[in-house]
Amino acid sequence: MYRLGKIIAAILALKLNEMKNIFLFLLFFYNLFSAQNGYSNQDQLPSIYLWTKIPDGPGPGGETITSTKGSLTHISTPKLIIHQPKTPNGIAILVISGGGYAHIESGSEGYPAGEWLKSLGITAFELQYRLPEENWATRSVPFQDAQRALRIIRKNAGKYKINPDKIGVLGFSAGGHLAGYISSTFNTVYYPPQDDIDLVSAQPDFTAMIYPVVSMLPPNNITHSFKSLLGKNSNTQDQTKLSVEKQVNAQTPVTFLAQSEDDPVSPVENSILMYQALKNNKVPVELHLFQSGGHGWGLGKKGTNTVEWTDLFLKWLKVNGIYNNAD
């Protein structure tokens, strides 16, 4: 009888183990489906095409390719995805995902950030920008798209109930490079004017750079962004020109920086260089360095202090009279 009991217990344990495996299997696919379904809602959001005639083609041609995690490549037609709140508070933010200028991490950065800002009454415009290695005539196509996007947002301020003096830019990783770069070079002529939109200022009123790529100079020239923008045969002049800290000037807007000290992709020195450049030019800046978190944490990595950056950012907006005085 004792032996029979052991056999029955073993069978039950085996069945329970099988059920556990089946449960974990189903849970995995449920989470995968939920993540995909959440991002797929992006297709239901309104959008604006950036260009009447896209400059410096031909580009990749065809449709945008989206991975199961919401990473975008093959950007033939750059556009803005609008995360529009029911009751806008007058603030608008151009949101720029990273991806080393080789893909766009919308699923983990731009989309969730846009939805978070939307929940606060902030109108978020998520940028799907052209990638420099996708058969364009110049590698400066991301700068063209970011500049044009800021002009479109300001031009349409009345339509979207935006205060034209409260338009900012928020970028992650390579998107942080793009956000920081266009914030200091907004007056540079990146493309021939096409229409009256190009008469509008592209200057952001505030900038946020989250675990950003900043410098293209040694020893920080180790990122995929460096490879995508400069290729294999760049010189010091080219590297300096595309280093954000070297473009900072007195007109660069107030800036918020956040990064992890253990970032393995973009060394934390990038944010420190940017902070010092802004201080040297007497531009108000706030820098937050987290002990851990790595790279690519979007709205924050669970179990680390990086989850605090969103609250810190909102407090910073209030300190600078942007969020609490929203129209």
Side-chain angles (χ1 to χ4, degrees):
M1 193 72 180
Y2 173 74
R3 187 175 180 182
L4 178 61
K6 287 184 69 176
I7 292 171
I8 292 172
I11 292 171
L12 288 172
L14 181 62
K15 291 292 184 183
L16 287 171
N17 190 52
E18 288 179 355
M19 289 176 66
K20 180 181 178 183
N21 288 337
I22 291 170
F23 173 76
L24 292 173
F25 179 79
L26 292 173
L27 182 63
F28 169 78
F29 277 98
Y30 172 78
N31 288 335
L32 180 64
F33 173 79
S34 297
Q36 292 176 7
N37 191 51
Y39 177 76
S40 68
N41 291 334
Q42 188 189 64
D43 294 336
Q44 302 171 19
L45 297 175
S47 62
I48 304 173
Y49 291 118
L50 296 186
W51 304 98
T52 304
K53 182 180 179 181
I54 301 172
D56 292 317
E63 297 295 321
T64 297
I65 297 172
T66 306
S67 76
T68 56
K69 294 183 178 180
S71 177
L72 311 178
T73 54
H74 215 255
I75 311 296
S76 296
T77 308
K79 59 184 177 181
L80 290 168
I81 306 298
I82 309 170
H83 301 256
Q84 189 173 15
K86 290 182 180 179
T87 307
N89 62 14
I91 304 170
I93 296 182
L94 176 66
V95 179
I96 311 178
S97 303
Y101 286 105
H103 53 99
I104 298 174
E105 288 292 344
S106 178
S108 60
E109 294 174 343
Y111 179 80
E115 289 296 286
W116 165 63
L117 293 168
K118 174 182 172 180
S119 73
L120 300 171
I122 297 171
T123 307
F125 294 82
E126 185 186 349
L127 180 62
Q128 292 187 5
Y129 54 96
R130 288 172 291 162
L131 302 169
E133 294 187 298
E134 290 192 338
N135 199 34
W136 299 100
T138 173
R139 291 178 185 259
S140 67
V141 289
F143 310 133
Q144 295 176 352
D145 290 347
Q147 187 178 55
R148 175 78 173 182
L150 285 162
R151 287 171 170 159
I152 288 173
I153 294 169
R154 187 163 276 116
K155 176 73 172 179
N156 288 280
K159 178 179 179 180
Y160 294 104
K161 299 180 181 179
I162 295 166
N163 182 334
D165 296 323
K166 292 185 178 181
I167 298 173
V169 58
L170 163 66
F172 301 86
S173 192
H177 179 274
L178 182 50
Y181 199 79
I182 204 64
S183 293
S184 290
T185 67
F186 53 85
N187 276 331
T188 299
V189 180
Y190 285 112
Y191 59 89
Q194 292 194 353
D195 48 38
D196 60 349
I197 291 172
D198 294 319
L199 301 176
V200 178
S201 171
Q203 182 178 16
D205 297 298
F206 58 93
T207 301
M209 301 165 66
I210 313 302
Y211 47 89
V213 174
V214 172
S215 186
M216 297 291 162
L217 290 163
N220 298 305
N221 57 340
I222 58 174
T223 61
H224 202 293
S225 296
F226 176 89
K227 177 184 175 183
S228 297
L229 288 174
L230 288 162
K232 297 180 180 179
N233 300 310
S234 63
N235 56 37
T236 301
Q237 183 178 357
D238 295 332
Q239 294 166 13
T240 301
K241 183 179 179 182
L242 288 180
S243 292
V244 181
E245 80 277 16
K246 299 298 184 181
Q247 311 309 316
V248 174
N249 57 71
Q251 289 185 300
T252 301
V254 294
T255 301
F256 177 93
L257 296 159
Q259 191 166 10
S260 300
E261 292 194 41
D262 63 348
D263 193 322
V265 175
S266 176
V268 70
E269 285 74 20
N270 280 276
S271 285
I272 295 171
L273 283 170
M274 188 65 184
Y275 175 84
Q276 193 59 58
L278 289 159
K279 294 295 287 184
N280 290 344
N281 283 274
K282 296 181 171 53
V283 176
V285 56
E286 186 165 302
L287 168 63
H288 295 277
L289 298 181
F290 302 107
Q291 180 177 326
S292 62
H295 189 82
W297 28 265
L299 294 181
K301 183 179 180 180
K302 187 176 180 180
T304 73
N305 289 345
T306 61
V307 296
E308 297 175 5
W309 85 261
T310 51
D311 287 337
L312 293 168
F313 175 61
L314 289 180
K315 290 175 181 177
W316 175 79
L317 288 177
K318 291 176 181 179
V319 166
N320 284 281
I322 299 167
Y323 187 63
N324 57 333
N325 293 324
D327 297 329

